[in-house]
């Protein structure tokens, strides 16, 4: 069983930055494909970014490429999502997800076996 705990969310002004962290336990992070999703009020949970177990492959939703960066530190069992130039429409609960499979369609919610509880990100002046 894998436990995922997100942190780093909060209130930020438009144009600001935040770095989300996802700490994994119960299994070595280097064996897991990881992803970030988000869910705004009244909307479906949507894919944000994914990263392979080794970290050599990443995927972003097209609309966020260039503003968000996913990374991982397997030694610390932690995955990060660096968010820059934040906009009010980035406001959502951000979820970390993990898959035990090597070959994953990053954007597919059903590809992930484990989910965190989420961290709230609010972009507002």
């Amino acid at each position: 069983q894998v436990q995922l705990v997100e942190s780093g969310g909060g209130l930020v002004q438009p144009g600001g930055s935040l770095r989300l962290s996802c700490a994994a336990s119960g299994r070595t992070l280097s064996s897991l494909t990881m992803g970030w999703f988000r869910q705004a009020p009244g909307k479906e949970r949507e894919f944000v970014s994914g990263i392979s177990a080794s970290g050599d492959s990443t995927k972003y939703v097209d609309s966020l490429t260039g503003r968000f960066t996913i990374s991982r530190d397997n030694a610390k069992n932690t995955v990060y999502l660096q968010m820059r130039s934040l906009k009010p429409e980035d406001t959502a609960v951000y979820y970390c997800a993990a898959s035990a499979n090597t070959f994953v369609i990053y954007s597919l919610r059903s590809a992930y076996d484990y989910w965190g509880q989420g961290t709230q990100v609010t972009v507002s002046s």
Side-chain angles (χ1 to χ4, degrees):
Q1 191 73 7
V2 175
Q3 292 80 41
L4 303 172
V5 179
E6 303 96 335
S7 62
L11 174 64
V12 62
Q13 292 187 341
S17 298
L18 279 177
R19 188 178 78 159
L20 305 183
S21 299
C22 173
S25 61
R27 185 164 174 168
T28 303
L29 188 68
S30 60
S31 67
L32 299 169
T33 299
M34 302 296 293
W36 285 97
F37 287 73
R38 67 184 184 182
Q39 188 167 16
K43 294 188 177 181
E44 293 287 321
R45 191 173 298 188
E46 64 175 0
F47 171 73
V48 173
S49 182
I51 187 167
S52 63
S54 65
D56 60 0
S57 175
T58 59
K59 174 75 173 177
Y60 299 91
V61 65
D62 289 344
S63 60
L64 297 177
T65 301
R67 293 197 299 122
F68 288 17
T69 304
I70 191 171
S71 62
R72 63 193 297 155
D73 186 338
N74 287 342
K76 294 183 178 180
N77 261 23
T78 303
V79 176
Y80 304 98
L81 184 68
Q82 178 69 52
M83 306 185 294
R84 303 176 181 86
S85 301
L86 285 162
K87 305 175 181 180
E89 51 263 42
D90 294 318
T91 295
V93 177
Y94 284 71
Y95 296 91
C96 175
S99 173
N101 296 315
T102 302
F103 299 103
V104 171
I105 299 175
Y106 292 119
S107 60
L108 197 62
R109 286 168 53 185
S110 60
Y112 296 88
D113 307 297
Y114 308 100
W115 292 82
Q117 293 300 305
T119 185
Q120 175 71 47
V121 172
T122 303
V123 185
S124 174
S125 55

